[in-house]
Amino acid sequence: MRILPLTILSVLITIQSIAQFNAGYQLSNSVKVVYDNDSLDFPWAGGLNNPQYSPMDFTGNSEEELFVFDRDGALRKGFKYNSNTDKYEWMPIIPEDSLAFERHFPKLYDRGFCLIRDFNGDGKGDIFSTHNFENIKVHRNVGSNTPSFDLEIEQVAYRSGNNNLPFRFARNTLPVIRDLDEDGDLDFMFFPVNYSDICSFSTFTNQSIEEYGSADSLEFKFGDKCWGEIRISGGAHPIHNWREFSCDTTCNIFDDQRGKDITMTQNLHDLDGDGALDLLITYDHYDELYAMYNSGTTVNGTIDQSLNDNAFPSNDVQVKLNNQPYPYFFDVDHDGDDDMLISSNQINNVDPNEYDTSDAVISDVYYENIGSDANPVFELHSRGYISGEMIDVGIRSFPAFGDMNGDSLPDMVIGNIGYNNFNAALSSARLFYYENVGTKGNPIFKLVDDDWADVSQLGLRSAHPALGDIDGDGDTDLLVGDHTGHIQFYKNIGFPATYQFKLFPNYNQIDVGGEAHPQIIDLSTDGLPDIVAGDEYGRIQYFENSGTVGNPDFPSSPSIEDMGAINIFSGFGGKAVPHFSRNIDSTNKLYLLLGTGVGTINIYGPILNIGDTFNLIDSIIVEATETAITGIDLLGDGQEELVIGQRAGGLYFMEKLNNTTLGISPLKGASSHIQLYPNPTDGSATLKMASRSDLAKMQVLDLQGRVLLSKSIQSNGLFFEENIDLRDYPSGAYFVSVIENDSIAWAKLIKE
């Protein structure tokens, strides 16, 4: 066999692999969703919990794009402004931008921050983000037409005497990153926590211009340790209690203990058009934003407390948004002046298993500037400007489908883990019922009930629905897996066109140990529906129905406890959510698609015997964590589309591009005996391949056929063994090829 030219090989791999990336599925927004008689613009964009907004020029269109970083899960999403509709569109559904937006950006720290700022003045946005949960690292944008990032500095520091000290931030604090002294380089400003020598707002000035004559460096020193000349004075409402402070006392003298560890975050914006930036602040667990006016200069601020606006903006509707509303100022509507888009900043652990989620359905509020930059006037435009255009049930989403009204159209039910308000009673998990009011092959989902079947009355912390005819009477019943590992059975005692439920709690005493994620499916092929359930530890348990039609009988202990010998606790973060299907590809064979804690959808199969060990054959990688997968033929094409729930509370909808079998077939005429492990990988993997010669060439290519890595590899006499380092490359699918003498071997490598 002759060696194919590398350009031809790249083309062949690209042609054959693009349709197979993510098992041949791609994100889609084709199914309409209606909420409160309004069609959502991008219902299947996955939801948002704690978004951070950065306008940037992604495609050379003068900052028409919006990079959104969701702190909860370190999710990266892109939106593009459409001047014709005066709205933003989700980039994965725009044909020319359908390639995965997030794959241009490095994977960042979960629960950290990410702000896009151009630090070196080359017109391209660079990344400022969290390192080690409390420090700052920077990635430089080295791309041309689209962004590409190299690590610039792992841990940004400032000079203090003869020492270089890393910046430290409380986890919910966002630093101000902008040119405060107007010398051409970017400075920092924030409210330090637990700094022994700082106890007020402080600035750190970049010395790049002063020392090097350009903005290309990131070297900082103290600017003003008492910016604003104020500090917290304590009291019942501490954010309203400030006193004058000009660094004339030590930080150990506070009016109360609370002042020492206050967690606050802030931004700066010229609110009165006098040229000096004013202060906007918010505090732990508050849902309001407060404005404090600067009567000094931007670099050395002086707050005039007689001008404080504690009902900001007092000219219009006061800001109200759960969990530290944080303001981002940019030209949202592209009319030439800066508007204000506010989002929920704070993530807080109440205990290891609970979060202060409050109401994570609406996580942004848009205030339009109806004045000008010289005289800004902010008025409330809309709540949920971005987040409100998506399906979002709060924290985590568990989708299920079934015909609930006898019209032969699948309706949609979504569970969640409930809401939790700081220092208040927990609210229960519930189900959201979306009726399919469309037609076969053209579904339209309309929210008609946000506490379906009154599941909230059970006081569950997690409610994962499964729909199917358990008792064989021709209508659709409901199972609800809960946080304790039990399953609640809601028997449908109504008619196919009119459901009515009767609850059988803790059904048959089934207990999977924690976080039950059930599916109803006949795995034993005896005509009776069985129950499978994933658990929080990463296992799947099988409960076989040994009864008869009309008289189901499920054991309390699993028929198979560790189904498929699967345990994804260590490698994938547990939280196994199974979806077995015989309708994924053209073979009608049984496969398992498994949602995981880290978000990757693992694909196992084909499964010939449910008692065997399942083989991992492929993965679907989406920008999500804690995924919950289900499948349903919504488009009437005879095969299942995928709907993926996730921690952000929304859903992804994925269509299959073709009807080819799962897995990737080898190239014609090419051998395929490369071993890659671990696969999927978090960035580093090992290649191993039996050798017939001393030398070969190894290459790593992306989905567009571009060669990313190329090197000669040497045999040890029996096989080639080489490390592959993809840590600096984005998550996604890659192809590894080995050219040896007259043959080509290749395999797919998934980076999470």
Side-chain angles (χ1 to χ4, degrees), residues 7 21 34 111 177 396 434 463-464 485 535 558 569 573 617 686:
T7 53
F21 175 59
V34 177
R111 304 183 173 241
I177 307 174
R396 300 192 72 179
Y434 287 78
H464 190 147
D535 65 30
F569 182 79
I617 62 164
T686 298

Side-chain angles (χ1 to χ4, degrees), residues 435-505:
E435 183 181 354
N436 188 345
V437 296
T439 58
K440 185 175 181 180
N442 186 29
I444 300 173
F445 292 104
K446 181 178 181 179
L447 179 63
V448 296
D449 194 337
D450 63 2
D451 188 12
W452 193 56
D454 296 325
V455 166
S456 67
Q457 295 183 10
L458 297 183
L460 306 176
R461 290 300 299 140
S462 175
H464 190 147
L467 298 171
D469 188 1
I470 289 287
D471 52 11
D473 62 355
D475 54 27
T476 302
D477 305 300
L478 168 66
L479 299 180
V480 178
D482 67 29
H483 65 292
T484 69
H486 293 89
I487 292 178
Q488 316 301 320
F489 176 37
Y490 286 80
K491 176 180 171 61
N492 191 345
I493 59 174
F495 300 95
T498 309
Y499 58 83
Q500 181 181 351
F501 292 120
K502 179 179 180 180
L503 173 62
F504 292 84

